[in-house]
Amino acid sequence: MSRDGKGLVQIRRPACALLAGVEPPVFPDAEPDIAELKGRIATAIGFIGGLQPAQINAAAEKEVVFTFRNGTTRRFTGQSLLLTFSVPQFFFHVTTAYDILRHCGVDLIKKDFLGVPP
């Protein structure tokens, strides 16, 4: 479960940093406990919330290079990074965490996953 929470933080944070052209916050590579995971999530939300929309919007055609943990790289445009990599990865980890919680008996329903419509 903590791996999926960690994955959520690790995917969104670098993608936004790449698009905005800034350095993301760095977290230890160790598996976090729940309290540390909550702290990482709060830090990532604060980091993302501090970026200006114009920084992200201007990066649609910008070439960015995503570096994986093993050192390999993959080139994207800003738009393709979001649409073909970051957003699918984000929802993969959200869905997996949701499924693990349900499997462990946590009473969750679709509304918990989708949120309340505006």
Side-chain angles (χ1 to χ4, degrees):
M1 177 68 188
S2 69
R3 185 178 308 170
D4 289 300
K6 183 178 167 186
L8 289 170
V9 172
Q10 288 180 326
I11 290 164
R12 301 303 300 161
R13 183 179 43 93
C16 291
L18 280 172
L19 295 175
V22 298
E23 289 296 317
V26 177
F27 300 122
D29 203 23
E31 285 294 321
D33 60 19
I34 295 298
E36 187 177 350
L37 185 58
K38 287 181 178 181
R40 289 182 185 192
I41 291 169
T43 299
I45 289 170
F47 169 72
I48 294 168
L51 298 173
Q52 298 300 313
Q55 290 175 279
I56 305 296
N57 295 340
E61 299 304 318
K62 174 183 171 182
E63 183 179 285
V64 295
V65 179
F66 187 93
T67 303
F68 294 90
R69 289 175 53 165
N70 67 4
T72 61
T73 59
R74 185 168 170 198
R75 296 184 181 283
F76 295 92
T77 63
Q79 182 176 10
S80 68
L81 175 70
L82 286 177
L83 297 179
T84 67
F85 185 73
S86 295
V87 171
Q89 287 284 328
F90 176 80
F91 280 106
F92 167 80
H93 286 285
V94 168
T95 302
T96 302
Y98 175 85
D99 291 342
I100 291 169
L101 290 170
R102 285 193 62 170
H103 177 77
C104 291
V106 176
D107 187 25
L108 295 171
I109 59 175
K110 189 184 288 187
K111 179 180 74 169
D112 296 314
F113 179 81
L114 297 175
V116 179

